[in-house]
Amino acid sequence: ISIPGTEVDYPLLALNNNRDGLTRTWDGKKSSAGSIFLECKNQRDFSDFNTLIYGHYMKNGTMFGSLKHYAQPDYLAEHPFVYIVTEDSVRRYEVFSAYEASVVSDTYRLYFEDDARRQSSLDHYVNSAAVDTGIIPEVDDNILTLSTCMGNGTYDTRWVVQAVLEVQFPRT
């Protein structure tokens, strides 16, 4: 995962459980910084409507510590894209929303009964945005949700940055 011009440039782990990503680095070493990792219930091919990626908020700006800056329009304008590189492809996502989210909100929903439920979640994502990007994803799009703690000791809310898949290139 990479966000050009930021500290976010890390291996993205796909683990069997989310617990290991919180306390282990990409090479398995114990660390309070943990790693950047895919929600274990998401498809590893990024085909889900909403794919969640977690990382710790680090005060020094590493891991997902820089995501808080997406509340500022200038920062968002300077760092509009998130790249996911896999063995098969390079995916470019465009940031459309950033906000504080309850851990029980639609932000963390993984399964959607129908397009109406997807649309309801999209409305929530867009209406929650700290900055209006003018980007309105559609129900057939793929959403990437980057999630980190707020850094203030609360456990019921997170800071999220959401991006919509703009283009996917085969990796050569």
Side-chain angles (χ1 to χ4, degrees):
I1 183 169
S2 179
I3 303 176
T6 74
E7 292 284 335
V8 179
D9 191 14
Y10 297 103
L12 176 60
L13 303 185
L15 305 167
N16 292 327
N17 67 70
N18 293 336
R19 187 178 50 255
D20 289 344
L22 296 171
T23 59
R24 300 214 178 262
T25 61
W26 65 272
D27 59 358
K29 296 178 183 167
K30 282 191 145 298
S31 170
S32 60
S35 56
I36 305 298
F37 60 99
L38 184 68
E39 161 62 51
C40 67
K41 294 176 184 169
N42 272 126
Q43 297 298 313
R44 293 179 180 198
D45 65 359
F46 298 87
S47 61
D48 290 317
F49 174 70
N50 186 24
T51 298
L52 299 168
I53 297 177
Y54 304 110
H56 281 304
Y57 168 85
M58 302 302 288
K59 289 181 181 177
N60 66 2
T62 59
M63 304 309 281
F64 276 177
S66 62
L67 294 185
K68 65 181 178 188
H69 299 301
Y70 277 98
Q72 303 163 8
D74 291 345
Y75 188 87
L76 188 137
E78 293 171 10
H79 309 95
F81 300 112
V82 179
Y83 292 86
I84 301 291
V85 180
T86 67
E87 292 177 4
D88 302 334
S89 67
V90 176
R91 293 172 174 80
R92 183 170 73 187
Y93 295 81
E94 188 168 12
V95 175
F96 71 90
S97 188
Y99 57 95
E100 185 176 343
S102 166
V103 296
V104 294
S105 72
D106 272 2
T107 303
Y108 293 92
R109 178 180 286 274
L110 296 178
Y111 305 106
F112 299 84
E113 302 82 37
D114 53 32
D115 284 350
R117 193 66 184 101
R118 286 182 185 200
Q119 186 61 56
S120 174
S121 291
L122 286 171
D123 293 344
H124 168 74
Y125 305 160
V126 171
N127 293 332
S128 299
V131 176
D132 181 5
T133 63
I135 299 168
I136 309 292
E138 298 179 2
V139 295
D140 293 331
D141 286 331
N142 293 103
I143 306 301
L144 188 67
T145 300
L146 310 181
S147 175
T148 191
C149 58
M150 298 291 293
N152 59 9
T154 61
Y155 296 100
D156 57 344
T157 61
R158 300 286 185 265
W159 182 255
V160 297
V161 172
Q162 293 181 300
V164 59
L165 181 63
E166 181 190 57
V167 67
Q168 180 175 338
F169 304 100
R171 191 159 178 216
T172 56

